[in-house]
Amino acid sequence: LAPSTPRIVKNTSSQARDHLANERTFLAFMRTAMSIFAIGVGLHEVGAPTSVCATALLGGQLVLGLSAQRYFRVARLLDEGLFRVNTRGVSALWVLQGVASVGIATLLLSGERLTSFAAERRQLRTQQLELARAQHRLIG
């Protein structure tokens, strides 16, 4: 994927500006991926099912992978003086956004279930703490 050595390109017309714009786009995708990771962790903290959390984490990883692939493909095309309009990527993101919206709406509508998961999780943590304290008293 990545070139092994840094490239130096001739700054003709808008080539440097185009490459810098490509880097900014890649960084925006990285921020998006980190946000998706954070959503997965947040859902885990409120007691969402593990499959939902894992899906968010995998989604973030997918965004990272696809953005790296896109970055190198666009950089190569820019070097050749070409540019490919990203209609497939835009369409895919539109569909994914719709799926994510339905998923989030489902989670919000089942909010009672999420709070019960969180309550059960807190109760389990409390029981584990009490057990650890009891064991410490027995040993110490």
Side-chain angles (χ1 to χ4, degrees):
L1 258 186
S4 57
T5 58
R7 296 177 331 198
I8 297 176
V9 296
K10 198 166 191 116
N11 187 10
T12 58
S13 66
S14 67
Q15 188 150 11
R17 184 176 60 234
D18 293 342
H19 280 285
L20 291 171
N22 188 30
E23 288 179 19
R24 286 190 302 273
T25 302
F26 174 69
L27 292 173
F29 274 117
M30 284 193 67
R31 286 189 301 271
T32 301
M34 295 304 293
S35 297
I36 295 170
F37 288 143
I39 289 169
V41 171
L43 287 171
H44 178 69
E45 288 302 311
V46 299
T50 305
S51 59
V52 174
C53 304
T55 301
L57 295 175
L58 289 173
Q61 189 61 42
L62 179 69
V63 169
L64 272 178
L66 291 175
S67 65
Q69 179 187 22
R70 182 183 190 281
Y71 170 80
F72 290 114
R73 184 178 62 239
V74 169
R76 182 177 40 80
L77 288 173
L78 288 174
D79 287 342
E80 296 169 6
L82 302 170
F83 181 76
R84 181 176 174 262
V85 179
N86 191 15
T87 53
R88 284 188 307 175
V90 170
S91 298
L93 286 175
W94 177 66
V95 169
L96 285 174
Q97 176 63 39
V99 170
S101 296
V102 169
I104 290 170
T106 303
L107 280 174
L108 291 175
L109 292 174
S110 66
E112 182 180 312
R113 210 172 98 197
L114 283 179
T115 28
S116 69
F117 279 136
E120 289 173 15
R121 193 163 176 204
R122 279 192 302 275
Q123 183 181 12
L124 181 61
R125 283 183 184 165
T126 304
Q127 290 172 350
Q128 289 171 338
L129 258 166
E130 290 172 2
L131 181 61
R133 287 182 186 144
Q135 287 173 343
H136 182 70
R137 279 188 295 244
L138 286 174
I139 294 172

